[in-house]
Amino acid sequence: MAGVLYAHSLSGVSGVRHTLEDHLRGSAALARRFAEVFGAGELAEYLALVHDVGKGACAWQDGLRAVEARGARGRVGVRHKHAGTVLAERYAQLACAAVVFGHHGGLPDLERLRDELHKSRPGGSEAVRVQEAIRAVEGIVPEIHRSSRIVLPGWLLDLPRREQRLGLDLLVRMLFSCVVDADYLDTSAHFEGAAVRVGEPADMTALLERYEVRRKRYLAGRESSPVDALRQSVYEQACAAAAGEPGVYVLQVPTGGAKTMAAGAFALRHAAQHGKRRVVLAVPFISITEQNAAVYRDLLDPEDAGGEPAVVLEHHSAVDLDLEETAFGELAEEQRVALRQRARTAKLAAENWDAPFVVTTTVRLFESLFSHKPSQMRRLHNVAGSVIVLDEVQALPDRLLAPILSGLRGLVDHFGATVLLVSATQPSFWELSAWKGLERKAVIDDPATLFDALRRVEYEWRTGQDVTLESIAREAATHPQVLTVVGTTRDAARFHRHLQAAFTQGPVLHLSTRMTGAHRREVIAQIRELLDRGEPVQVVSTSLIEAGVDVDFPRVYRAWAPPESLQQAAGRCNRDGRLPSGTVIVFDPADGGRPRSDEYRTAVHTGEQFFGPHPFAAPDDLGALHQYYQRRYSYQQGGDPEAGLGAHIQKLRRALDFPKVDHEFQMIEDEHSVPVVVIRDEGDREQIEEAVARLTDPFRPCGPEVLRSLQQHTASLPKREADSALRCGLAVAVTGDLLVWHGAYHERRGLDPDEPESLDAYGVV
């Protein structure tokens, strides 16, 4: 085969093809830059240099031209991973070869990797094509051959033997992230006809100064409250603690103690002092992501929108772009083929967290760490050298604590991260084996005294068979300003109906993930406005309001839940301490629902042993909370400190079985939710349809901003309902598991499952 070797077809912008030499060298330079942060630049550079060597084969080059001649862009249909995999195994290590083999489809397990390498040996089905590709590429990129093997980082070899495999697992994941992101960025730049988009290093000192100035401005324009002095003390202690050495810190502050401001100040100050590259703040609920991102944007983003780039990146898109098969199995084959093609195109739109201050969800963060899929893992390398803030850390799932804590420790010990755990109900992580011997750095000197000073509510309890959603709605309706938090989205919709029938003094508002992000923000703003004016308002919400949503009700009702949730709900009551005491009523409705996971049931069962009506403790009793966590973890482990809490995932990590780790590591145990784009306002239609068109057209540029623009228009549906909606034509698949909604959208309740149209469509009636 004569002539130039190509990696990608014609760019619709520049009108030129992407040469293979340029792509390999460009990707290698980027990967080296990314991995130098954790001392593996040479290794990442080489893996990126060889990742597409297989494209040098005649069959692949001919296939590219054939695809281009048909006016298409996408899969050539000729395998090209084996040649680079052979080189990676020859000059690095078998585990590193997984990075090259998996750069499109995902990291493989070692057994499959060995099988694929066997195909590349003399006599194997891939042998001829592999050797042909290597011979073709070595003429233009001779560095694919080395005089010696690449040595793994020294810290890995210094680990105890039992820990070496976990360290290797994390190293391979980081290398994979570097190579995949470099590949995506270089490819995207070609098709956009532009330079590679890599952010410049942030000046954390300047950002800290901006943060301090704007915080003072914000406080000066805010009505003072009786708890402001305590909040200032929390802030000052956080600033002082930030001078400490990198490690794992704990910020334990009662709800209403201004944790958001304090956590941001700690993270920025620590980053400025210790040369950290960015802040990654992860929260358990999308609603908190939206609120916190808004707060931090006000404090950090440039005031001139047309000047310097934004500082804060809000990322909580739940779209799975790595589906090998569409999640909706009843579609016709041609529809599945089209969706797979769209997903491959849309992967270039995956977020890589190349921003100074990232606000995301814990699902997205740990998905990046324990997935095996390219578009989810491409952002992982940007966590290295960062300050990771885990807000509302009590929401981390028990069944995954072993890998989560192990992964966080690995990031701190070997990849330059600092971790800040933020919670009013700090779990007892240091009593678990994963953090044995790890130093616990406390931000607050005396949490117990702070909790006593900030106690602002009294608890009441409603139990018995006569307690129902309707009876509680009637009771709540006798008070002018009430927040009620229930256990499920279905209960929220039903309670909202009961309240509408019983409350006539003012609006009855609703919050759940069945509403779009923009809709939720509008409702939260309306709630605050009504409360500030002292007007009547009733609100029913799922647990999404419990953490980080800054509202202040005199009276809160909370359906029975684990004690940490009860305390979080109480944080929305008398938040600013303007009343002598607020009232929190915990009720157990006979007709109410609860999350169905075993873990949730265990937490509720354990909580009932410590908290409740007299003589039990209140949910904000720190001593009782500590005992509660100890017993809860003991139940999960079955008495064996090396079992439970995700210990089986640790075994899979040691075996470097990346697909099975991904399969077992599910942050959301309940039924999988599907992201659904909704056009609520005709004024948004053109923008939404344009974004959807870019996601579905393989010939149009599609960067991360496309998915980002849809976040505010996205709600969630349980997969069962999404499947039914697809069958009935109420929704249309876009890319990955993303849908566009064509059915009814309730002005208060969003995607209400009990609306007549939805009932018919879902086959419930």
Side-chain angles (χ1 to χ4, degrees), residues 262-314:
F266 172 94
L268 290 167
R269 192 172 295 271
H270 188 82
Q273 180 144 348
H274 296 285
K276 304 302 181 187
R277 300 187 300 159
R278 62 180 45 82
V279 175
V280 178
L281 185 142
V283 298
F285 305 119
I286 288 176
S287 61
I288 318 174
T289 310
E290 295 162 348
Q291 172 169 294
N292 285 359
V295 171
Y296 290 127
R297 275 195 292 267
D298 288 343
L299 294 169
L300 289 170
D301 272 356
E303 293 181 334
D304 178 10
E308 63 181 287
V311 172
V312 177
L313 167 65
E314 178 184 355

Side-chain angles (χ1 to χ4, degrees), residues 518-753:
H519 193 181
R520 290 194 300 269
R521 282 197 295 275
E522 291 167 12
V523 171
I524 290 171
Q526 184 181 1
I527 293 168
R528 289 177 178 148
E529 184 178 347
L530 290 166
L531 291 174
D532 288 345
R533 296 204 303 256
E535 296 183 17
V537 59
Q538 289 273 347
V539 178
V540 56
S541 175
T542 58
S543 60
L544 66 80
I545 201 172
E546 287 181 344
V549 180
D550 188 359
V551 292
D552 189 353
F553 283 84
R555 193 174 186 89
V556 169
Y557 287 77
R558 188 18 164 135
W560 201 289
E564 58 268 32
S565 294
L566 302 183
Q567 189 179 150
Q568 291 297 327
R572 310 316 116 194
C573 183
N574 195 23
R575 188 175 180 86
D576 290 327
R578 302 187 193 282
L579 302 174
S581 181
T583 303
V584 176
I585 296 94
V586 180
F587 64 100
D588 190 10
D591 57 343
R594 292 177 180 175
R596 288 179 271 184
S597 70
D598 292 339
E599 181 176 313
Y600 191 88
R601 283 194 291 267
T602 298
V604 170
H605 170 68
T606 310
E608 289 171 343
Q609 300 172 39
F610 294 94
F611 307 97
H614 184 79
F616 293 106
D620 56 2
D621 184 315
L622 294 188
L625 276 168
H626 182 71
Q627 295 179 58
Y628 155 77
Y629 279 119
Q630 284 183 309
R631 188 170 298 180
R632 181 170 126 185
Y633 295 156
S634 178
Y635 285 149
Q636 303 278 7
Q637 293 175 303
D640 182 354
E642 299 299 323
L645 305 179
H648 66 293
I649 297 177
Q650 293 293 84
K651 293 179 181 178
L652 294 172
R653 290 183 62 208
R654 291 187 176 95
L656 303 183
D657 193 338
F658 301 104
K660 283 189 178 177
V661 169
D662 190 350
H663 181 266
E664 293 294 320
F665 191 92
Q666 299 296 319
M667 287 286 287
I668 302 173
E669 190 177 23
D670 294 335
E671 183 182 9
H672 173 62
S673 292
V674 172
V676 180
V677 174
V678 179
I679 302 175
R680 289 176 56 229
D681 187 333
E682 283 300 312
D684 296 324
R685 179 176 293 278
E686 183 177 354
Q687 178 256 316
I688 294 173
E689 290 181 345
E690 167 65 15
V692 169
R694 290 179 65 183
L695 285 169
T696 57
D697 186 345
F699 293 97
R700 299 183 65 185
C702 189
E705 70 281 353
V706 178
L707 281 174
R708 199 181 306 153
S709 70
L710 293 176
Q711 288 179 174
Q712 64 176 323
H713 305 295
T714 302
S716 295
L717 270 184
K719 185 176 181 301
R720 173 183 56 82
E721 294 185 23
D723 286 342
S724 297
L726 276 169
R727 289 194 299 270
C728 299
L730 290 181
V732 175
V734 178
T735 184
D737 61 350
L738 180 66
L739 307 180
V740 171
W741 186 251
H742 293 312
Y745 186 88
H746 193 276
E747 63 178 355
R748 294 285 196 196
R749 296 187 289 270
L751 302 176
D752 185 346

Side-chain angles (χ1 to χ4, degrees), residues 139-217:
I140 56 173
V141 188
E143 306 96 295
I144 64 173
H145 294 297
R146 295 177 53 90
S147 59
S148 62
R149 290 172 66 87
I150 303 174
V151 179
L152 295 177
W155 62 261
L156 181 63
L157 304 177
D158 292 338
L159 289 174
R161 186 173 182 83
R162 176 176 169 79
E163 298 303 313
Q164 277 188 8
R165 297 290 282 190
L166 291 176
L168 182 59
D169 166 88
L170 193 52
L171 176 64
V172 170
R173 293 174 183 280
M174 278 288 183
L175 291 168
F176 184 68
S177 174
C178 292
V179 171
V180 167
D181 196 26
D183 180 22
Y184 282 17
L185 287 170
D186 193 69
T187 300
S188 183
H190 162 68
F191 284 114
E192 292 176 1
V196 173
R197 296 188 292 182
V198 179
E200 293 299 317
D203 184 342
M204 287 297 181
T205 300
L207 290 181
L208 174 62
E209 292 172 357
R210 180 186 293 176
Y211 187 90
E212 294 282 5
V213 169
R214 293 188 185 175
R215 174 181 173 270
K216 290 177 182 177
R217 184 195 310 167

